[in-house]
Amino acid sequence: MTKVKAAIIGSGNIGTDLMIKMLKYPQNMELAAVVGIDPASEGLAMAREHGIATTHEGIEGLKRLDCYKDIRIAFDATSAYAHKVHDAALQADGIRVVDLTPAAIGPFTVPTVNMDAHLDAPNVNMVTCGGQATIPMVAAVSQVAKVHYAEIVASVSSRSAGPGTRANIDEFTRTTARAIEAVGGATRGKAIIILNPAEPPMIMRDTVFTLSEGADEEAIRASVEAMVARVQAYVPGYRLKQQVQFERFGDNNPLRIPGMGEFTGIRTMILLEVEGAGDYLPSYSGNLDIMTAAAKATGELIAERIAA
């Protein structure tokens, strides 16, 4: 199969890690260009060392590259504000866009959950790192039970949270909560992020709570374990920290949730950890690694679709 040519816009940590993954684990895509705005960027220097076309003149510089006419997929690892401009320019030229920013112009996409529904979308959004780690678990419970409420707590090393993350904490929680509902299948979702300053840096840890009815513990456990295996196909460091935990609430001891009333059914607690592959970023940066790995997995599926 002829490989589909792709470009990465953004030569910072996220863009550079994605570049290294595309070079180390080639499948359906060929990386043709890397775009930045800093001529001294380490990411651009690494791209040049690998013979990849580069520009430090942003989207306009990309459009002037000889390879631009052949590019079919572009990954945007810049900012939500810049993405709106990039998306308009790229779509005007028929280029499919994988968005790693919080812009959310296109549908929320988690490869193991709903990628099949968006293979022909002109723009897909990768939600957030917390969303990529936890929404598969919410979806796993939703596949066998009715999930009335889902809450996730994402704990990441303070070192792996850059200025962009720190400036957009509120946006992170709102976006992730919306995606827990839209993609995970929960009637109501909530997201919390914790930046942990521990030294040595901790790897990403996630706790997922769901309140559901309509399935027993074994069905939920089996669905969760199957979903973990699917995510591990592109994030090998994704794993359960311990066995899935359950607590039942019957008519004689309902769980009272502020703003939602009384609940009967099963409360499920799923404890995860995400260790990065260490391709470019440190292995404790599992929160960033799962974003780039999910974006690559998404791009590979889109490229397969384009080639077919």
Side-chain angles (χ1 to χ4, degrees):
M1 183 182 76
T2 301
K3 293 185 183 294
V4 173
K5 292 189 183 298
I8 296 172
I9 304 173
S11 59
N13 284 340
I14 294 289
T16 303
D17 190 69
L18 176 59
M19 173 182 70
I20 298 302
K21 281 178 166 51
M22 293 177 70
L23 294 172
K24 286 182 68 174
Y25 317 112
Q27 290 176 265
N28 305 317
M29 296 184 292
E30 176 187 341
L31 183 58
V34 177
V35 180
I37 56 173
D38 178 5
S41 161
E42 180 181 10
L44 292 181
M46 293 177 68
R48 288 191 292 270
E49 289 172 4
H50 286 89
I52 300 167
T54 66
T55 176
H56 64 270
E57 298 177 330
I59 187 73
E60 292 304 318
L62 172 63
K63 296 176 78 168
R64 288 192 291 269
L65 293 177
D66 291 340
C67 63
Y68 182 71
K69 64 183 184 301
D70 299 318
I71 291 170
R72 305 293 301 279
I73 300 172
F75 297 86
D76 194 341
T78 58
S79 68
Y81 177 78
H83 179 70
K84 295 175 183 177
V85 176
H86 298 162
D87 179 67
L90 294 165
Q91 287 201 44
D93 291 329
I95 297 173
R96 303 281 293 279
V97 182
V98 180
D99 176 18
L100 288 83
T101 81
I105 292 172
F108 291 134
T109 302
V110 179
T112 56
V113 180
N114 69 338
M115 187 62 226
D116 289 348
H118 304 312
L119 285 173
D120 295 316
N123 178 308
V124 292
N125 178 262
M126 304 312 299
V127 197
T128 61
C129 59
Q132 288 296 335
T134 61
I135 288 171
M137 298 296 95
V138 178
V141 181
S142 293
Q143 287 172 1
V144 296
K146 171 64 176 175
V147 176
H148 295 282
Y149 177 78
E151 178 177 308
I152 71 96
V153 182
S155 299
V156 303
S157 169
S158 181
R159 282 196 187 185
S160 67
T165 299
R166 295 172 186 275
N168 292 282
I169 293 293
D170 290 344
E171 192 168 41
F172 172 98
T173 57
R174 289 193 297 268
T175 297
T176 307
R178 292 203 312 272
I180 288 170
E181 299 166 359
V183 183
T187 302
R188 182 175 174 183
K190 181 177 181 179
I192 299 168
I193 183 171
I194 298 171
L195 304 184
N196 193 316
E199 292 290 344
M202 59 169 281
I203 65 174
M204 185 186 201
R205 297 274 171 79
D206 301 286
T207 305
V208 181
F209 297 97
T210 65
L211 303 176
S212 65
E213 61 179 346
D216 61 20
E217 287 93 332
E218 285 309 309
I220 294 173
R221 181 180 288 112
S223 185
V224 166
E225 291 176 352
M227 185 65 79
V228 168
R230 291 178 63 193
V231 177
Q232 286 175 337
Y234 58 93
V235 189
Y238 184 89
R239 51 187 175 257
L240 291 172
K241 185 65 176 172
Q242 64 182 65
Q243 288 292 318
V244 182
Q245 306 294 307
F246 302 100
E247 185 174 3
R248 280 190 172 272
F249 296 90
D251 293 334
N252 61 336
N253 68 328
L255 178 64
R256 292 177 177 83
I257 306 173
M260 293 186 66
E262 294 186 344
F263 168 83
T264 60
I266 297 176
R267 177 167 64 186
T268 302
M269 182 173 69
I270 304 165
L271 300 175
L272 301 162
E273 63 181 15
V274 185
E275 183 175 4
D279 294 316
Y280 173 70
L281 299 167
S283 58
Y284 63 75
S285 298
N287 54 310
L288 304 179
D289 189 84
I290 198 168
M291 277 292 279
T292 54
K296 179 180 181 295
T298 297
E300 298 290 1
L301 291 170
I302 293 173
E304 184 178 40
R305 179 77 157 197
I306 291 172

